[in-house]
Amino acid sequence: MNDTNRNRDRSRPGPGTAEAGIDSWSAHQGVPLLRTLAQALCVLERQSGLDRFTLPYPAVAQHALDRTAVACLLAGERPPASLGELVARCQDIPLEDWPLRLAEGTVGPDDLLLDPRSGRPTELCHEWAESGADPALRHRDRQIVHTALTLCRQHGEEDAYSSFRGLLVRRPVLTAAEMFEVLGDMLLEPVHELIRIVYQPVPRAYRRDGHYAQCGRCLTLLTPLGDTEWWCERDRCRRAGPPPVGRITNEEEAGTVLQLERSLRQFVTGPGRAEADLEHALRAMGLEVGMWPGFDAYDLLVTFPDGLRWAVDVKDWASPYFLGKAAAPVPPTPPYDEAFWVVPQHRVDARPDYLKVFALACEDAQGAPELLTDTELVRRAALGARTSHSRKNSKENDRA
């Protein structure tokens, strides 16, 4: 990763070669190394912050440093001399310029594990970290959602589950008084204990002069940069420009301030904002939209005037590679006529090969869904709504 080597043309093996199947899966190469790096960065941020380190390092951080050093030596490059230097490289050097052997499309040209302005793990970093997590911790968001589903089913309360999902999307931050109010909502009674678990005290790193600020777009807490600036953890917000400061909470007046744990903010709150935007756009066309039908079989059930039904699952993932590997058929019930996975347009704008990489990554998946951007889905829905109204009117005229 020396400056003289950063832009050189590296020959990477394709996904079908023996080298890709063996060397890229050794601990100091390719996918496993990136997973270790991402896990180390997330652990360091939680334990001490990424701007200071104390010995002994967490085991995963030491593994990341050692394995990166081996990869650099094998590539004839200078290894990082310290954990601080490794962290700096994760913030400054795109993954495509690391001495790694990866299948085509695994990383994009601008992918970084740490945000260059804040030094915090990117959404992509969290996706890499989860992909290599201990099986007991992997897909934490899905475990929480599955637990909520089970509890609500046991009580026969589908509305309780919808209300729980709405809470995670619309209120990722709660004051102590607001938590008391939520726990007094009897509709949410089946998941009261779960709510206590997933909302956690906010670290001091989010505080400036005794205040916490929420993003006016996505509602998550902002991170202070310097004396006056703020940073939002959501890729979508950062690409839209400086985050608008929403609600300001005074810690002294509010007491304990709580926020959803990171995996839920990443995989439930973020996509939930995209789901809500889609719901609004589709309802504005006069379409009927059900959110999280059948105890969250999928995200939206869209019904056209003539009875045609679409099932829509929103997937707000930074990595098209991981999304493709996760491809699976949309559950068949509640029944529908067509089904789609939808990714926010900003993901494809940031990485033009997004749809292509997704298709390559899921080419062996049985029943993989068609992936559309939310912009394309709305365009198709508008066309479908006009056609559907015409068919409905034609049928009514024929009956008359």
Side-chain angles (χ1 to χ4, degrees), residues 139-155 160-165 167-168 171 174 179 182-183 185 187-201 258-261 263-264 268 296:
H139 307 312
R140 165 76 171 174
D141 59 301
R142 297 181 210 175
Q143 295 171 17
I144 293 296
V145 166
H146 177 74
T147 300
L149 281 168
T150 300
L151 293 170
C152 293
R153 281 196 180 107
Q154 288 173 352
H155 287 76
Y161 176 76
S162 296
S163 183
F164 175 74
R165 280 295 295 263
L167 176 71
L168 303 190
R171 304 181 73 180
L174 296 174
M179 174 61 86
V182 167
L183 296 178
D185 185 344
L187 179 60
L188 289 167
E189 184 177 15
V191 289
H192 278 173
E193 289 304 317
L194 191 60
I195 291 170
R196 287 191 178 96
I197 292 170
V198 300
Y199 280 89
Q200 302 170 347
L258 306 160
Q259 69 175 342
L260 279 175
E261 57 184 66
S263 63
L264 291 172
V268 178
D296 201 19

Side-chain angles (χ1 to χ4, degrees), residues 42 159 167 243 247 266 285:
C42 291
D159 287 346
L167 176 71
R247 183 173 72 158
Q266 173 83 22
M285 299 176 194

Side-chain angles (χ1 to χ4, degrees), residues 111-132:
D111 285 351
L112 291 165
L113 292 178
L114 296 178
D115 179 75
R117 291 190 67 239
S118 69
R120 302 285 293 273
T122 59
E123 291 187 57
L124 181 72
C125 183
H126 283 281
E127 290 178 12
W128 273 102
E130 182 183 271
S131 75

Side-chain angles (χ1 to χ4, degrees), residues 207-277:
R207 189 179 65 180
R208 174 187 281 152
D209 298 329
H211 294 80
Y212 297 96
Q214 287 178 250
C215 176
R217 280 191 290 258
C218 70
L219 308 181
T220 59
L221 282 176
L222 297 172
T223 300
L225 293 181
D227 295 330
T228 60
E229 294 185 81
W230 297 95
W231 179 82
C232 181
E233 67 186 21
R234 298 298 300 169
D235 291 348
R236 184 176 191 173
C237 285
R238 294 197 304 278
R239 291 185 182 120
V245 177
R247 183 173 72 158
I248 299 287
T249 302
N250 183 298
E251 184 184 38
E252 187 174 337
E253 296 175 0
T256 304
V257 180
L258 306 160
Q259 69 175 342
L260 279 175
E261 57 184 66
R262 186 62 173 83
S263 63
L264 291 172
R265 302 199 309 272
Q266 173 83 22
F267 296 107
V268 178
T269 306
R273 304 302 300 174
E275 293 161 12
D277 290 345

